[in-house]
């Protein structure tokens, strides 16, 4: 794909300091977009921005906790004041909580719902509103309607498939998938696209920071190492996910499963949901 697609566009990417977020920020920057790289870990976002600048892009790095509504409001206001209404927003920041439902405490739920669901709600609501206001202020062009923008929400293949070992994570991702489809219907009239991206396992830092409930701190470290090894062994590069995100924006896709697991679980959820409910019973081998 050439570099011309996003010339002059402004893209906001959350969780831009690592994994899919960094790869997506760089893919968009490589195609001419300016990038606002946002992350709770500012140095990592700054590193992404430095890499984007090396590719010739402009932009900024910003520290924000996507779970914090007031901070996200401030962030969205800052983007509009200091830059402008973005054309592309990728709500990507996320964390993993693994382990049985009965061992998952209220604080674990609040943490993962805060980042994985509230983060997407804040980003979609605040920037979606900015995009809709911008479209409403433009002169109507019935023959060639104005492009209003595009919101990408990073869900997961876990959104398609129940799993006894991943109830909190899968629940937040299923909610992101549904939210994205509702929002897509609402914003279609404003020519704002909304995509839910649903990848299977990929080689990122997610497993290294995952929270394993119901085990000791020592066991958690060992589980993190084992899952990280599996993610790295699976070897699916975040750059490929970023390419699918770029393609989804260009083609305005609604739901985008990515990689073998992503496509398999998506297909099974449509043709044989009962088989997924059976597979969901298989206990996690490492616990
Ligand atoms: N890696 C996979 O196999 C996989 C598969 C499907 C979906 N996903 C989803 O992809 C998204 C990106 O994850 P990744 O795999 O690149 O992981 P990652 O850990 O490499 O990157 C996540 C980034 O989000 C940031 N972040 C975490 N909490 C934040 C917060 N509260 N506010 C702002 N930033 C925050 C982290 O600092 C990090 O830079 C997540 O939503 C994840 O659930 C990952």
């Amino acid at each position: 794909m050439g570099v011309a697609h996003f010339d002059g566009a402004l893209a906001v990417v959350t969780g831009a300091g690592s994994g899919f977020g960094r790869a997506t920020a760089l893919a968009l920057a490589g195609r001419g977009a300016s990038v606002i790289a946002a992350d709770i870990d500012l140095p990592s976002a700054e590193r992404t921005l430095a890499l984007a600048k090396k590719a010739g892009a402009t932009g900024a790095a910003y520290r924000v906790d996507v779970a914090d509504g007031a901070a996200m409001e401030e962030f969205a206001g800052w983007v509009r004041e200091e830059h402008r209404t973005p054309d592309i927003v990728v709500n990507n920041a996320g964390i993993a909580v693994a382990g049985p439902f009965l061992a998952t405490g209220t604080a674990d739920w609040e943490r993962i719902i805060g980042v994985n669901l509230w983060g997407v709600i804040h980003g979609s609501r605040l920037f979606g509103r900015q995009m809709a206001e911008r479209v409403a202020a433009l002169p109507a062009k019935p023959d060639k309607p104005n492009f209003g923008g595009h919101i990408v929400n990073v869900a997961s293949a876990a959104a398609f498939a129940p799993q006894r070992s991943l109830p909190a994570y899968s629940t937040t991702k299923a909610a992101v998938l549904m939210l994205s489809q509702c929002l897509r219907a609402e914003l279609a009239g404003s020519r704002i696209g909304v995509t839910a991206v649903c990848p299977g396992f990929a080689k990122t830092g997610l497993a290294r920071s995952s929270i394993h409930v119901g085990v000791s701190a020592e066991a958690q470290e060992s589980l993190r190492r084992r899952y990280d090894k599996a993610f790295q062994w699976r070897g699916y590069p975040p750059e490929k996910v970023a390419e699918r995100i770029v393609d989804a924006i260009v083609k305005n896709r609604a739901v985008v499963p990515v990689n073998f697991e992503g496509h398999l679980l998506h297909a099974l959820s449509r043709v044989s949901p009962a088989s997924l409910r059976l597979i969901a019973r298989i206990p996690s081998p490492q616990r």
Side-chain angles (χ1 to χ4, degrees):
M1 205 179 286
V3 292
H5 280 305
F6 301 118
D7 277 349
L10 178 65
V12 170
V13 181
T14 69
S18 175
F20 300 164
R22 173 170 287 172
T24 303
L26 296 181
L28 294 170
R31 287 168 173 80
S34 291
V35 171
I36 310 290
D39 204 288
I40 197 166
D41 175 2
L42 182 59
S44 70
E46 285 171 338
R47 174 83 186 122
T48 299
L49 182 67
L51 292 169
K53 283 186 170 169
K54 260 194 185 167
T58 56
Y62 194 98
R63 188 206 170 273
V64 71
D65 176 356
V66 296
D68 180 338
M72 281 296 282
E73 201 137 353
E74 208 172 293
F75 172 49
W78 175 86
V79 171
R80 181 141 74 172
E81 285 293 306
E82 295 297 320
H83 297 268
R84 60 188 177 78
T85 295
D87 306 294
I88 297 164
V89 172
V90 184
N91 292 304
N92 160 76
I95 58 168
V97 170
F101 174 81
L102 293 182
T104 310
T106 314
D108 302 313
W109 276 103
E110 282 173 352
R111 190 149 170 207
I112 194 166
I113 290 175
V115 181
N116 290 14
L117 182 55
W118 272 111
V120 173
I121 294 172
H122 295 316
S124 298
R125 188 177 67 86
L126 293 161
F127 290 113
R129 196 177 277 169
Q130 288 186 10
M131 289 173 177
E133 282 170 11
R134 177 175 61 182
V135 169
L138 288 171
K141 285 197 272 177
D143 47 325
K144 189 172 179 275
N146 296 302
F147 169 69
H150 201 101
I151 298 173
V152 176
N153 294 329
V154 178
S156 166
F160 303 133
Q163 285 174 74
R164 61 178 283 178
S165 57
L166 218 50
Y169 185 78
S170 306
T171 299
T172 59
K173 295 303 186 180
V176 168
L177 175 59
M178 179 53 79
L179 178 152
S180 304
Q181 294 175 93
C182 294
L183 188 62
R184 182 177 171 89
E186 179 175 335
L187 297 184
S190 302
R191 300 273 299 165
I192 299 167
V194 181
T195 300
V197 175
C198 302
F201 298 115
K203 200 174 161 184
T204 71
L206 191 69
R208 284 195 288 279
S209 60
S210 53
I211 298 160
H212 296 266
V213 298
V215 297
S216 67
E218 202 186 4
Q220 156 148 289
E221 275 318 308
S222 142
L223 284 167
R224 279 178 174 172
R225 276 196 300 275
R226 279 195 227 178
Y227 278 98
D228 184 45
K229 233 181 177 174
F231 276 51
Q232 304 307 316
W233 178 84
R234 170 67 180 88
Y236 196 83
E239 291 74 19
K240 280 198 177 180
V241 177
E243 288 305 316
R244 298 302 307 280
I245 289 177
V246 165
D247 186 62
I249 297 169
V250 172
K251 296 182 180 150
N252 190 16
R253 301 277 193 225
V255 178
V256 178
V258 182
N259 81 14
F260 176 75
E261 309 83 85
H263 284 285
L264 179 69
L265 295 177
H266 185 229
L268 285 176
S269 71
R270 294 160 65 125
V271 299
S272 179
S275 69
L276 286 181
R277 286 191 286 273
L278 273 179
I279 295 167
R281 296 182 182 202
I282 300 170
S284 152
Q286 272 101 10
R287 287 180 80 90

